[in-house]
Amino acid sequence: MALKRNPEDASSVKARELFSSDSSKKKETKILTTFSIEPSFKKEMEELFGEMGLNWAGGIRFALKEFYKKHKE
């Protein structure tokens, strides 16, 4: 005999909240951007970001946020 599933159990309610369209609007998706720099400068930046515990993309995002904070006025 198969058990009948209760559609209102806690996990299904939580899943609906997690995947509802309202919660997906709260977080922006990232966009891919490209730019050109000299290979030697990129190597220097990778080393600096590595010392900070960041990968290339994380370091660039960090640098852009800091630049924005400093120059938004």
Side-chain angles (χ1 to χ4, degrees):
M1 170 194 263
L3 297 174
K4 194 172 193 178
R5 188 173 155 189
N6 182 1
E8 292 302 318
D9 63 354
S11 62
S12 65
V13 171
K14 194 170 191 174
R16 255 186 298 189
E17 289 173 3
L18 180 64
F19 295 108
S20 70
S21 60
D22 292 338
S23 65
S24 64
K25 292 179 185 176
K26 293 177 185 175
K27 187 174 181 180
E28 284 187 291
T29 58
K30 291 182 175 60
I31 59 169
L32 176 65
T33 59
T34 59
F35 58 95
S36 300
I37 60 172
E38 296 87 3
S40 59
F41 182 64
K42 183 176 187 232
K43 180 77 172 161
E44 290 175 24
M45 293 291 97
E46 286 176 325
E47 290 172 2
L48 176 64
F49 297 154
E51 291 171 6
M52 298 169 65
L54 299 170
N55 62 11
W56 171 252
I60 294 296
R61 284 191 296 270
F62 173 78
L64 289 170
K65 287 177 186 176
E66 289 300 310
F67 180 86
Y68 177 76
K69 286 179 195 175
K70 186 174 181 180
H71 297 285
K72 68 180 176 184
E73 298 163 356

